[in-house]
Amino acid sequence: MHINICWKRNEKTMYRNVMKRVIDVCLSICGIIVCVVPMCIIAIVIKLDSKGPVIFKQKRLGKGQKIFTVYKFRTMCNHAYEMGGIATRSDDDRITKAGAFLRRTSFDELPQLINIIKGDMAVIGPRPILPIEFEEYKDNKRYCKRYEVRPGLFCTVDIEYRASASRDLQFDMDAEYIENMTFWNDIKYFFKIIKTVISGENVYIEEVQND
């Protein structure tokens, strides 16, 4: 029994510290190769649709609460964040026409494949948030677990709630993910998340409130 427990613990540690990173890099390289043409098309559409840069850059909290720059396709008008923070509703007039589609399909997240290759992020993990968004939770030891690993392109909250989840729910699910992180769980979560993203549901808060 003791040997079995130690084996499982070592297996989990090996995946968390080594294999997960190897798999993330391989998947990201493959993703960029497959998506290079669609990403070029998206870049052109963004440029034609509105003024401003194609890529939106923002400082987020990463592993160990270290700040890094996250990359996304721009979905709002230029300098939109300075005008009113994060968009939480579909009727936000800062969201561009191209941006509405990109948000619905999560194609705006594709540039984060570069973040994964750089070592800033993982495929599956807690979503990176703004430093100020974690300020009121910084003394919560369980919620701080989300910074024991690299933030993810997708997280477990995406399976059902996506961006419509409350912070408390998101952080609870993040902590639970860290506590039970294994290769097989990541495989399971990956396919469930892809199914949710394809459905295009629960991108905004009001979509859950109106259910």
Side-chain angles (χ1 to χ4, degrees):
M1 178 66 74
H2 178 69
I3 295 176
N4 188 44
I5 292 174
C6 289
W7 168 255
K8 288 184 177 179
R9 185 179 301 154
N10 289 337
E11 183 180 31
K12 184 176 180 179
T13 300
M14 177 64 73
Y15 174 68
R16 178 170 176 162
N17 295 337
V18 180
M19 292 307 299
K20 182 176 175 68
R21 176 66 184 148
V22 173
I23 294 170
D24 286 340
V25 171
C26 290
L27 286 177
S28 298
I29 292 173
C30 291
I32 288 175
I33 292 173
V34 171
C35 296
V36 64
V37 173
M39 288 173 74
C40 288
I41 294 173
I42 289 171
I44 293 171
V45 171
I46 291 173
K47 266 299 183 184
L48 294 175
D49 185 48
S50 61
K51 294 181 180 180
V54 169
I55 299 296
F56 172 72
K57 301 177 183 179
Q58 194 173 58
K59 301 297 183 182
R60 302 287 180 96
L61 280 180
K63 184 178 179 180
Q65 297 196 37
K66 293 182 179 179
I67 295 176
F68 73 100
T69 301
V70 71
Y71 307 126
K72 300 179 69 172
F73 280 124
R74 181 173 57 83
T75 60
M76 296 196 289
C77 62
N78 205 19
H79 303 299
Y81 183 76
E82 291 81 355
M83 296 163 53
I86 297 172
T88 59
R89 297 188 60 86
S90 59
D91 58 0
D92 191 317
D93 58 11
R94 296 173 299 161
I95 299 175
T96 64
K97 292 179 181 178
F101 170 76
L102 294 175
R103 283 170 170 263
R104 183 68 59 183
T105 58
S106 290
F107 286 169
D108 60 318
E109 312 285 359
L110 286 176
Q112 287 167 40
L113 293 172
I114 300 297
N115 282 120
I116 295 174
I117 293 174
K118 286 178 60 182
D120 299 325
M121 296 178 61
V123 175
I124 305 290
R127 285 295 294 155
I129 61 175
L130 296 167
I132 194 172
E133 292 180 293
F134 196 69
E135 190 65 28
E136 66 177 289
Y137 302 95
K138 63 183 181 181
D139 295 325
N140 187 312
K141 292 183 179 180
R142 186 161 189 267
Y143 287 176
C144 282
K145 287 184 177 182
R146 73 191 313 273
Y147 296 108
E148 294 178 5
V149 300
R150 291 179 179 86
L153 178 64
F154 301 112
C155 64
T156 52
V157 76
D158 289 324
I159 294 174
E160 185 175 354
Y161 302 99
R162 295 181 76 180
S164 63
S166 68
R167 286 300 179 200
D168 286 325
L169 174 60
Q170 179 184 0
F171 295 161
D172 272 330
M173 294 183 73
D174 288 341
E176 184 176 354
Y177 168 75
I178 304 303
E179 293 163 355
N180 300 284
M181 188 171 66
T182 65
F183 171 74
W184 294 112
N185 278 342
D186 273 1
I187 292 292
K188 178 178 66 176
Y189 296 145
F190 179 79
F191 286 106
K192 285 184 177 182
I193 288 165
I194 294 301
K195 180 180 179 182
T196 301
V197 170
I198 290 174
S199 74
E201 297 177 346
N202 295 341
V203 178
Y204 301 99
I205 292 175
E206 84 268 12
E207 294 180 354
V208 174
Q209 293 175 341
N210 292 335
D211 283 350

